Amino acid sequence: EISNLEGSVKRGAAEIESLSAAIGKTESDAKILGEEIAALQQDVAKFDADLKASKDQRAKDHEAFVAEQRDHGESVDALDRAINVLQKQNFDRTALLQLQESAQLPAHAQQMLSAFIGMMGDEDPLAYQNPEANAYEFQSGGVVDMLKRLRTEFVSKRGEIEKEEMSSQHAHGMLAQDLASSLETAQE
């Protein structure tokens, strides 16, 4: 029986040694896995922070785009109105003055035409003298051309910022998708 007991003690000691080694390995594995989990949690926190920062920056960029687009749109509208006003003034004023003096025009129509001519400028229509050889030439032609060039530049710039916005929006979408994918992978 003693030999039986000695054999059981030896087997128990071997089993204790084997289990102690398994416990040591498991503790080592748990420590390594804990470090890996901590690293993954840091990655998750970093991906979350990067995604939030990216979304915040995108919101700021979009807000700046909207303001710049509105500014260019308002500038184009103002230029359109200015060009329209100046082009409406491009007519033969001498013909109106001659028509006003025409004997075929009723007196009431002559008064209305006189009032209209008076509204066209600061000059006194009665003090107006007919031009000598040349008829009145539209003086704002250069200004209209300049305004048209400015309008073209604003429209072109607005197109450029719209392209930049689309490009920025696409880049943000790709980055957000990449970060979301990395975040999902890190959480698995």
Side-chain angles (χ1 to χ4, degrees), residues 3-21:
S3 81
N4 215 4
L5 274 152
E6 285 177 359
S8 286
V9 169
K10 284 183 184 178
R11 281 190 302 270
E15 193 174 328
I16 288 174
E17 191 176 313
S18 172
L19 289 173
S20 293

Side-chain angles (χ1 to χ4, degrees), residues 40-179:
L40 287 173
Q41 286 174 337
Q42 286 177 347
D43 287 348
V44 166
K46 182 182 178 295
F47 293 145
D48 273 339
D50 289 349
L51 186 58
K52 183 182 182 318
S54 177
K55 286 180 180 179
D56 290 346
Q57 184 61 45
R58 178 71 195 117
K60 288 177 186 175
D61 290 347
H62 182 70
E63 187 177 312
F65 160 74
V66 168
E68 190 173 3
Q69 184 186 38
R70 183 179 330 115
D71 181 47
H72 281 81
E74 290 171 356
S75 297
V76 168
D77 288 344
L79 287 168
D80 284 340
R81 288 191 306 273
I83 290 168
N84 192 21
V85 166
L86 288 174
Q87 286 179 334
K88 283 182 180 178
Q89 293 178 3
N90 186 10
F91 53 85
D92 188 1
R93 295 167 196 261
T94 57
L96 288 176
L97 287 171
Q98 290 170 356
L99 183 61
Q100 175 190 8
E101 295 170 358
S102 170
Q104 297 175 347
L105 198 62
H108 177 58
Q110 285 179 346
Q111 290 174 348
M112 288 178 59
L113 192 54
S114 178
F116 175 72
I117 292 172
M119 289 188 307
M120 289 189 326
D122 297 333
E123 302 171 6
D124 179 14
L126 298 176
Y128 182 81
Q129 295 178 353
N130 288 334
E132 292 181 15
N134 292 332
Y136 174 82
E137 293 181 20
F138 185 56
Q139 301 295 317
S140 299
V143 174
V144 170
D145 291 340
M146 179 192 67
L147 292 176
K148 285 181 178 179
R149 282 192 305 275
L150 277 174
R151 183 191 182 285
T152 302
E153 288 177 24
F154 274 111
V155 168
S156 174
K157 180 65 176 165
R158 185 173 58 185
E160 289 174 17
I161 64 170
E162 287 171 352
K163 285 179 186 176
E164 289 173 10
E165 170 66 8
M166 288 187 332
S167 198
S168 175
Q169 192 174 20
H170 177 72
H172 173 265
M174 296 291 288
L175 178 63
Q177 184 178 8
D178 183 48
L179 288 172

Side-chain angles (χ1 to χ4, degrees), residues 13-31:
E15 193 174 328
I16 288 174
E17 191 176 313
S18 172
L19 289 173
S20 293
I23 290 171
K25 182 175 180 338
T26 303
E27 286 175 349
S28 173
D29 289 347
K31 182 180 177 186

